[in-house]
PDB file of all heavy atoms in Angstrom:
ATOM      1  N   LYS X   1       0.880  -1.233  -0.006  1.00 97.00           N
ATOM      2  CA  LYS X   1       0.013  -0.015  -0.011  1.00 97.00           C
ATOM      3  C   LYS X   1       0.881   1.253   0.028  1.00 97.00           C
ATOM      4  O   LYS X   1       2.030   1.192   0.403  1.00 97.00           O
ATOM      5  CB  LYS X   1      -0.955   0.042   1.180  1.00 97.00           C
ATOM      6  CG  LYS X   1      -2.063  -1.036   1.173  1.00 97.00           C
ATOM      7  CD  LYS X   1      -3.057  -0.750   2.222  1.00 97.00           C
ATOM      8  CE  LYS X   1      -4.255  -1.691   2.139  1.00 97.00           C
ATOM      9  NZ  LYS X   1      -5.274  -1.464   3.142  1.00 97.00           N
ATOM     10  N   GLU X   2       0.268   2.339  -0.508  1.00 97.00           N
ATOM     11  CA  GLU X   2       1.007   3.608  -0.438  1.00 97.00           C
ATOM     12  C   GLU X   2       1.174   4.154   1.019  1.00 97.00           C
ATOM     13  O   GLU X   2       0.252   3.889   1.876  1.00 97.00           O
ATOM     14  CB  GLU X   2       0.280   4.572  -1.256  1.00 97.00           C
ATOM     15  CG  GLU X   2       0.330   4.323  -2.781  1.00 97.00           C
ATOM     16  CD  GLU X   2      -0.278   5.445  -3.601  1.00 97.00           C
ATOM     17  OE1 GLU X   2      -0.889   6.350  -3.090  1.00 97.00           O
ATOM     18  OE2 GLU X   2      -0.279   5.353  -4.861  1.00 97.00           O
ATOM     19  N   ARG X   3       2.149   4.932   1.203  1.00 98.00           N
ATOM     20  CA  ARG X   3       2.387   5.564   2.526  1.00 98.00           C
ATOM     21  C   ARG X   3       1.234   6.640   2.673  1.00 98.00           C
ATOM     22  O   ARG X   3       0.855   7.306   1.724  1.00 98.00           O
ATOM     23  CB  ARG X   3       3.745   6.320   2.473  1.00 98.00           C
ATOM     24  CG  ARG X   3       4.157   6.653   3.904  1.00 98.00           C
ATOM     25  CD  ARG X   3       5.719   7.103   3.802  1.00 98.00           C
ATOM     26  NE  ARG X   3       6.516   6.024   3.441  1.00 98.00           N
ATOM     27  CZ  ARG X   3       7.922   6.062   3.547  1.00 98.00           C
ATOM     28  NH1 ARG X   3       8.569   7.097   3.816  1.00 98.00           N
ATOM     29  NH2 ARG X   3       8.631   4.931   3.167  1.00 98.00           N
ATOM     30  N   GLU X   4       0.708   6.667   3.871  1.00 97.00           N
ATOM     31  CA  GLU X   4      -0.443   7.602   4.138  1.00 97.00           C
ATOM     32  C   GLU X   4      -0.027   8.495   5.337  1.00 97.00           C
ATOM     33  O   GLU X   4       0.608   8.119   6.289  1.00 97.00           O
ATOM     34  CB  GLU X   4      -1.697   6.817   4.377  1.00 97.00           C
ATOM     35  CG  GLU X   4      -1.661   5.935   5.636  1.00 97.00           C
ATOM     36  CD  GLU X   4      -3.057   5.376   5.981  1.00 97.00           C
ATOM     37  OE1 GLU X   4      -4.014   5.576   5.364  1.00 97.00           O
ATOM     38  OE2 GLU X   4      -3.073   4.606   7.046  1.00 97.00           O
ATOM     39  N   GLY X   5      -0.654   9.633   5.264  1.00 98.00           N
ATOM     40  CA  GLY X   5      -0.553  10.589   6.360  1.00 98.00           C
ATOM     41  C   GLY X   5      -1.377  10.219   7.569  1.00 98.00           C
ATOM     42  O   GLY X   5      -2.490   9.877   7.390  1.00 98.00           O
ATOM     43  N   VAL X   6      -0.726  10.240   8.644  1.00 98.00           N
ATOM     44  CA  VAL X   6      -1.474   9.937   9.958  1.00 98.00           C
ATOM     45  C   VAL X   6      -1.805  11.233  10.693  1.00 98.00           C
ATOM     46  O   VAL X   6      -2.918  11.469  11.053  1.00 98.00           O
ATOM     47  CB  VAL X   6      -0.554   9.060  10.900  1.00 98.00           C
ATOM     48  CG1 VAL X   6      -1.256   8.825  12.230  1.00 98.00           C
ATOM     49  CG2 VAL X   6      -0.324   7.674  10.142  1.00 98.00           C
ATOM     50  N   SER X   7      -0.816  12.162  10.805  1.00 98.00           N
ATOM     51  CA  SER X   7      -0.971  13.347  11.604  1.00 98.00           C
ATOM     52  C   SER X   7       0.205  14.326  11.224  1.00 98.00           C
ATOM     53  O   SER X   7       1.310  13.857  11.051  1.00 98.00           O
ATOM     54  CB  SER X   7      -1.088  13.034  13.064  1.00 98.00           C
ATOM     55  OG  SER X   7      -1.221  14.215  13.764  1.00 98.00           O
ATOM     56  N   CYS X   8      -0.176  15.530  11.172  1.00 98.00           N
ATOM     57  CA  CYS X   8       0.896  16.585  10.943  1.00 98.00           C
ATOM     58  C   CYS X   8       0.709  17.706  11.963  1.00 98.00           C
ATOM     59  O   CYS X   8      -0.409  17.959  12.454  1.00 98.00           O
ATOM     60  CB  CYS X   8       0.819  17.086   9.561  1.00 98.00           C
ATOM     61  SG  CYS X   8       1.329  15.759   8.344  1.00 98.00           S
ATOM     62  N   ILE X   9       1.800  18.465  12.184  1.00 98.00           N
ATOM     63  CA  ILE X   9       1.817  19.523  13.111  1.00 98.00           C
ATOM     64  C   ILE X   9       2.598  20.710  12.573  1.00 98.00           C
ATOM     65  O   ILE X   9       3.640  20.505  11.961  1.00 98.00           O
ATOM     66  CB  ILE X   9       2.367  19.051  14.455  1.00 98.00           C
ATOM     67  CG1 ILE X   9       2.174  20.208  15.583  1.00 98.00           C
ATOM     68  CG2 ILE X   9       3.798  18.657  14.391  1.00 98.00           C
ATOM     69  CD1 ILE X   9       2.382  19.619  16.982  1.00 98.00           C
ATOM     70  N   SER X  10       2.144  21.937  12.809  1.00 97.00           N
ATOM     71  CA  SER X  10       2.733  23.098  12.335  1.00 97.00           C
ATOM     72  C   SER X  10       4.116  23.372  13.114  1.00 97.00           C
ATOM     73  O   SER X  10       4.272  22.767  14.211  1.00 97.00           O
ATOM     74  CB  SER X  10       1.905  24.387  12.375  1.00 97.00           C
ATOM     75  OG  SER X  10       1.508  24.546  13.727  1.00 97.00           O
ATOM     76  N   ARG X  11       4.868  24.279  12.695  1.00 96.00           N
ATOM     77  CA  ARG X  11       6.148  24.674  13.393  1.00 96.00           C
ATOM     78  C   ARG X  11       5.806  25.103  14.832  1.00 96.00           C
ATOM     79  O   ARG X  11       6.557  24.803  15.727  1.00 96.00           O
ATOM     80  CB  ARG X  11       6.813  25.833  12.636  1.00 96.00           C
ATOM     81  CG  ARG X  11       7.644  25.433  11.493  1.00 96.00           C
ATOM     82  CD  ARG X  11       8.321  26.646  10.855  1.00 96.00           C
ATOM     83  NE  ARG X  11       9.086  27.364  11.837  1.00 96.00           N
ATOM     84  CZ  ARG X  11       9.557  28.654  11.620  1.00 96.00           C
ATOM     85  NH1 ARG X  11       9.337  29.233  10.433  1.00 96.00           N
ATOM     86  NH2 ARG X  11      10.261  29.241  12.534  1.00 96.00           N
ATOM     87  N   SER X  12       4.807  25.946  14.932  1.00 94.00           N
ATOM     88  CA  SER X  12       4.464  26.492  16.305  1.00 94.00           C
ATOM     89  C   SER X  12       3.753  25.463  17.205  1.00 94.00           C
ATOM     90  O   SER X  12       3.680  25.605  18.387  1.00 94.00           O
ATOM     91  CB  SER X  12       3.596  27.660  16.130  1.00 94.00           C
ATOM     92  OG  SER X  12       2.284  27.309  15.569  1.00 94.00           O
ATOM     93  N   GLY X  13       3.205  24.326  16.556  1.00 94.00           N
ATOM     94  CA  GLY X  13       2.426  23.356  17.321  1.00 94.00           C
ATOM     95  C   GLY X  13       1.064  23.826  17.521  1.00 94.00           C
ATOM     96  O   GLY X  13       0.221  23.047  18.133  1.00 94.00           O
ATOM     97  N   SER X  14       0.667  24.993  16.920  1.00 94.00           N
ATOM     98  CA  SER X  14      -0.692  25.409  17.219  1.00 94.00           C
ATOM     99  C   SER X  14      -1.766  24.843  16.271  1.00 94.00           C
ATOM    100  O   SER X  14      -2.957  24.816  16.629  1.00 94.00           O
ATOM    101  CB  SER X  14      -0.754  26.952  17.010  1.00 94.00           C
ATOM    102  OG  SER X  14      -0.398  27.297  15.653  1.00 94.00           O
ATOM    103  N   ASN X  15      -1.304  24.241  15.224  1.00 96.00           N
ATOM    104  CA  ASN X  15      -2.187  23.527  14.213  1.00 96.00           C
ATOM    105  C   ASN X  15      -1.793  22.128  14.061  1.00 96.00           C
ATOM    106  O   ASN X  15      -0.614  21.867  13.823  1.00 96.00           O
ATOM    107  CB  ASN X  15      -2.226  24.286  12.952  1.00 96.00           C
ATOM    108  CG  ASN X  15      -2.999  25.620  12.936  1.00 96.00           C
ATOM    109  OD1 ASN X  15      -3.879  25.724  13.705  1.00 96.00           O
ATOM    110  ND2 ASN X  15      -2.584  26.559  12.186  1.00 96.00           N
ATOM    111  N   THR X  16      -2.798  21.220  14.101  1.00 97.00           N
ATOM    112  CA  THR X  16      -2.571  19.851  13.815  1.00 97.00           C
ATOM    113  C   THR X  16      -3.680  19.312  12.978  1.00 97.00           C
ATOM    114  O   THR X  16      -4.833  19.892  12.825  1.00 97.00           O
ATOM    115  CB  THR X  16      -2.524  19.025  15.204  1.00 97.00           C
ATOM    116  OG1 THR X  16      -3.757  19.204  15.828  1.00 97.00           O
ATOM    117  CG2 THR X  16      -1.424  19.410  16.087  1.00 97.00           C
ATOM    118  N   ASN X  17      -3.489  18.196  12.247  1.00 96.00           N
ATOM    119  CA  ASN X  17      -4.529  17.450  11.677  1.00 96.00           C
ATOM    120  C   ASN X  17      -4.298  15.977  11.771  1.00 96.00           C
ATOM    121  O   ASN X  17      -3.227  15.498  12.066  1.00 96.00           O
ATOM    122  CB  ASN X  17      -4.776  17.936  10.251  1.00 96.00           C
ATOM    123  CG  ASN X  17      -3.650  17.613   9.360  1.00 96.00           C
ATOM    124  OD1 ASN X  17      -2.654  16.938   9.725  1.00 96.00           O
ATOM    125  ND2 ASN X  17      -3.694  18.076   8.038  1.00 96.00           N
ATOM    126  N   TYR X  18      -5.365  15.246  11.576  1.00 98.00           N
ATOM    127  CA  TYR X  18      -5.347  13.856  11.732  1.00 98.00           C
ATOM    128  C   TYR X  18      -6.109  13.112  10.653  1.00 98.00           C
ATOM    129  O   TYR X  18      -7.161  13.624  10.223  1.00 98.00           O
ATOM    130  CB  TYR X  18      -6.000  13.504  13.141  1.00 98.00           C
ATOM    131  CG  TYR X  18      -5.214  13.961  14.327  1.00 98.00           C
ATOM    132  CD1 TYR X  18      -5.523  15.253  14.877  1.00 98.00           C
ATOM    133  CD2 TYR X  18      -4.153  13.257  14.906  1.00 98.00           C
ATOM    134  CE1 TYR X  18      -4.827  15.727  15.935  1.00 98.00           C
ATOM    135  CE2 TYR X  18      -3.493  13.689  16.013  1.00 98.00           C
ATOM    136  CZ  TYR X  18      -3.796  15.006  16.480  1.00 98.00           C
ATOM    137  OH  TYR X  18      -3.080  15.441  17.607  1.00 98.00           O
ATOM    138  N   ALA X  19      -5.669  11.967  10.253  1.00 97.00           N
ATOM    139  CA  ALA X  19      -6.438  11.100   9.425  1.00 97.00           C
ATOM    140  C   ALA X  19      -7.752  10.727  10.169  1.00 97.00           C
ATOM    141  O   ALA X  19      -7.780  10.497  11.374  1.00 97.00           O
ATOM    142  CB  ALA X  19      -5.693   9.846   9.050  1.00 97.00           C
ATOM    143  N   ASP X  20      -8.765  10.567   9.340  1.00 97.00           N
ATOM    144  CA  ASP X  20     -10.091  10.254  10.071  1.00 97.00           C
ATOM    145  C   ASP X  20      -9.978   8.969  10.900  1.00 97.00           C
ATOM    146  O   ASP X  20     -10.630   8.777  11.883  1.00 97.00           O
ATOM    147  CB  ASP X  20     -11.156  10.054   8.971  1.00 97.00           C
ATOM    148  CG  ASP X  20     -11.647  11.419   8.354  1.00 97.00           C
ATOM    149  OD1 ASP X  20     -11.293  12.484   8.897  1.00 97.00           O
ATOM    150  OD2 ASP X  20     -12.250  11.378   7.290  1.00 97.00           O
ATOM    151  N   SER X  21      -9.184   7.974  10.356  1.00 98.00           N
ATOM    152  CA  SER X  21      -9.044   6.710  10.982  1.00 98.00           C
ATOM    153  C   SER X  21      -8.363   6.700  12.391  1.00 98.00           C
ATOM    154  O   SER X  21      -8.538   5.776  13.163  1.00 98.00           O
ATOM    155  CB  SER X  21      -8.263   5.774  10.096  1.00 98.00           C
ATOM    156  OG  SER X  21      -7.016   6.220   9.842  1.00 98.00           O
ATOM    157  N   VAL X  22      -7.737   7.812  12.722  1.00 98.00           N
ATOM    158  CA  VAL X  22      -7.005   7.903  13.984  1.00 98.00           C
ATOM    159  C   VAL X  22      -7.571   9.079  14.960  1.00 98.00           C
ATOM    160  O   VAL X  22      -7.048   9.210  16.035  1.00 98.00           O
ATOM    161  CB  VAL X  22      -5.485   8.072  13.815  1.00 98.00           C
ATOM    162  CG1 VAL X  22      -4.964   6.978  12.895  1.00 98.00           C
ATOM    163  CG2 VAL X  22      -5.148   9.493  13.284  1.00 98.00           C
ATOM    164  N   LYS X  23      -8.470   9.854  14.384  1.00 98.00           N
ATOM    165  CA  LYS X  23      -8.997  10.932  15.224  1.00 98.00           C
ATOM    166  C   LYS X  23      -9.558  10.462  16.513  1.00 98.00           C
ATOM    167  O   LYS X  23     -10.355   9.472  16.541  1.00 98.00           O
ATOM    168  CB  LYS X  23     -10.078  11.669  14.365  1.00 98.00           C
ATOM    169  CG  LYS X  23      -9.482  12.679  13.397  1.00 98.00           C
ATOM    170  CD  LYS X  23     -10.638  13.419  12.591  1.00 98.00           C
ATOM    171  CE  LYS X  23     -10.142  14.348  11.621  1.00 98.00           C
ATOM    172  NZ  LYS X  23     -11.088  14.983  10.789  1.00 98.00           N
ATOM    173  N   GLY X  24      -9.253  11.158  17.542  1.00 98.00           N
ATOM    174  CA  GLY X  24      -9.755  10.837  18.848  1.00 98.00           C
ATOM    175  C   GLY X  24      -8.949   9.760  19.621  1.00 98.00           C
ATOM    176  O   GLY X  24      -9.132   9.479  20.782  1.00 98.00           O
ATOM    177  N   ARG X  25      -7.971   9.195  18.888  1.00 98.00           N
ATOM    178  CA  ARG X  25      -7.154   8.051  19.454  1.00 98.00           C
ATOM    179  C   ARG X  25      -5.690   8.448  19.447  1.00 98.00           C
ATOM    180  O   ARG X  25      -4.930   8.021  20.413  1.00 98.00           O
ATOM    181  CB  ARG X  25      -7.254   6.809  18.713  1.00 98.00           C
ATOM    182  CG  ARG X  25      -8.739   6.245  18.650  1.00 98.00           C
ATOM    183  CD  ARG X  25      -8.780   4.851  17.988  1.00 98.00           C
ATOM    184  NE  ARG X  25      -8.379   4.924  16.577  1.00 98.00           N
ATOM    185  CZ  ARG X  25      -7.336   4.122  16.141  1.00 98.00           C
ATOM    186  NH1 ARG X  25      -6.723   3.380  16.832  1.00 98.00           N
ATOM    187  NH2 ARG X  25      -7.073   4.144  14.836  1.00 98.00           N
ATOM    188  N   PHE X  26      -5.248   9.108  18.487  1.00 98.00           N
ATOM    189  CA  PHE X  26      -3.806   9.564  18.413  1.00 98.00           C
ATOM    190  C   PHE X  26      -3.630  11.018  18.627  1.00 98.00           C
ATOM    191  O   PHE X  26      -4.485  11.849  18.380  1.00 98.00           O
ATOM    192  CB  PHE X  26      -3.242   9.327  16.919  1.00 98.00           C
ATOM    193  CG  PHE X  26      -3.116   7.926  16.583  1.00 98.00           C
ATOM    194  CD1 PHE X  26      -3.659   6.877  17.329  1.00 98.00           C
ATOM    195  CD2 PHE X  26      -2.464   7.469  15.432  1.00 98.00           C
ATOM    196  CE1 PHE X  26      -3.464   5.509  17.053  1.00 98.00           C
ATOM    197  CE2 PHE X  26      -2.270   6.152  15.057  1.00 98.00           C
ATOM    198  CZ  PHE X  26      -2.820   5.183  15.896  1.00 98.00           C
ATOM    199  N   THR X  27      -2.518  11.418  19.217  1.00 98.00           N
ATOM    200  CA  THR X  27      -2.215  12.803  19.489  1.00 98.00           C
ATOM    201  C   THR X  27      -0.736  13.103  19.032  1.00 98.00           C
ATOM    202  O   THR X  27       0.194  12.411  19.614  1.00 98.00           O
ATOM    203  CB  THR X  27      -2.322  13.136  20.969  1.00 98.00           C
ATOM    204  OG1 THR X  27      -3.728  12.876  21.394  1.00 98.00           O
ATOM    205  CG2 THR X  27      -2.031  14.578  21.208  1.00 98.00           C
ATOM    206  N   ILE X  28      -0.537  14.081  18.178  1.00 98.00           N
ATOM    207  CA  ILE X  28       0.770  14.603  17.815  1.00 98.00           C
ATOM    208  C   ILE X  28       1.186  15.669  18.694  1.00 98.00           C
ATOM    209  O   ILE X  28       0.410  16.511  19.123  1.00 98.00           O
ATOM    210  CB  ILE X  28       0.675  14.924  16.344  1.00 98.00           C
ATOM    211  CG1 ILE X  28       2.175  15.085  15.810  1.00 98.00           C
ATOM    212  CG2 ILE X  28      -0.083  16.068  16.011  1.00 98.00           C
ATOM    213  CD1 ILE X  28       2.283  15.208  14.227  1.00 98.00           C
ATOM    214  N   SER X  29       2.413  15.717  18.922  1.00 98.00           N
ATOM    215  CA  SER X  29       3.029  16.903  19.675  1.00 98.00           C
ATOM    216  C   SER X  29       4.504  17.058  19.342  1.00 98.00           C
ATOM    217  O   SER X  29       5.038  16.177  18.592  1.00 98.00           O
ATOM    218  CB  SER X  29       2.777  16.707  21.196  1.00 98.00           C
ATOM    219  OG  SER X  29       3.593  15.512  21.662  1.00 98.00           O
ATOM    220  N   ARG X  30       5.018  18.142  19.802  1.00 97.00           N
ATOM    221  CA  ARG X  30       6.399  18.406  19.572  1.00 97.00           C
ATOM    222  C   ARG X  30       7.026  19.148  20.734  1.00 97.00           C
ATOM    223  O   ARG X  30       6.345  19.929  21.459  1.00 97.00           O
ATOM    224  CB  ARG X  30       6.615  19.172  18.246  1.00 97.00           C
ATOM    225  CG  ARG X  30       5.977  20.588  18.263  1.00 97.00           C
ATOM    226  CD  ARG X  30       6.041  21.152  16.891  1.00 97.00           C
ATOM    227  NE  ARG X  30       7.355  21.354  16.431  1.00 97.00           N
ATOM    228  CZ  ARG X  30       7.702  21.483  15.164  1.00 97.00           C
ATOM    229  NH1 ARG X  30       6.787  21.525  14.105  1.00 97.00           N
ATOM    230  NH2 ARG X  30       8.915  21.682  14.773  1.00 97.00           N
ATOM    231  N   ASP X  31       8.286  18.881  20.969  1.00 96.00           N
ATOM    232  CA  ASP X  31       9.050  19.609  22.011  1.00 96.00           C
ATOM    233  C   ASP X  31      10.306  20.142  21.301  1.00 96.00           C
ATOM    234  O   ASP X  31      11.316  19.400  21.133  1.00 96.00           O
ATOM    235  CB  ASP X  31       9.371  18.691  23.153  1.00 96.00           C
ATOM    236  CG  ASP X  31      10.170  19.345  24.340  1.00 96.00           C
ATOM    237  OD1 ASP X  31      10.675  20.498  24.068  1.00 96.00           O
ATOM    238  OD2 ASP X  31      10.039  18.810  25.405  1.00 96.00           O
ATOM    239  N   ASN X  32      10.211  21.406  20.870  1.00 93.00           N
ATOM    240  CA  ASN X  32      11.342  21.903  20.084  1.00 93.00           C
ATOM    241  C   ASN X  32      12.593  21.994  20.972  1.00 93.00           C
ATOM    242  O   ASN X  32      13.788  21.894  20.436  1.00 93.00           O
ATOM    243  CB  ASN X  32      10.934  23.297  19.516  1.00 93.00           C
ATOM    244  CG  ASN X  32       9.938  23.141  18.443  1.00 93.00           C
ATOM    245  OD1 ASN X  32       9.819  22.165  17.772  1.00 93.00           O
ATOM    246  ND2 ASN X  32       9.230  24.311  18.035  1.00 93.00           N
TER     247      ASN X  32
END
């Protein structure tokens, strides 16, 4: 299968998005 996006986060961490299949279960974060 093709590689798929799970979740992405902006540089500031203020914006995130999630694939429908993982919404509510996965959380992306960053510690610069």
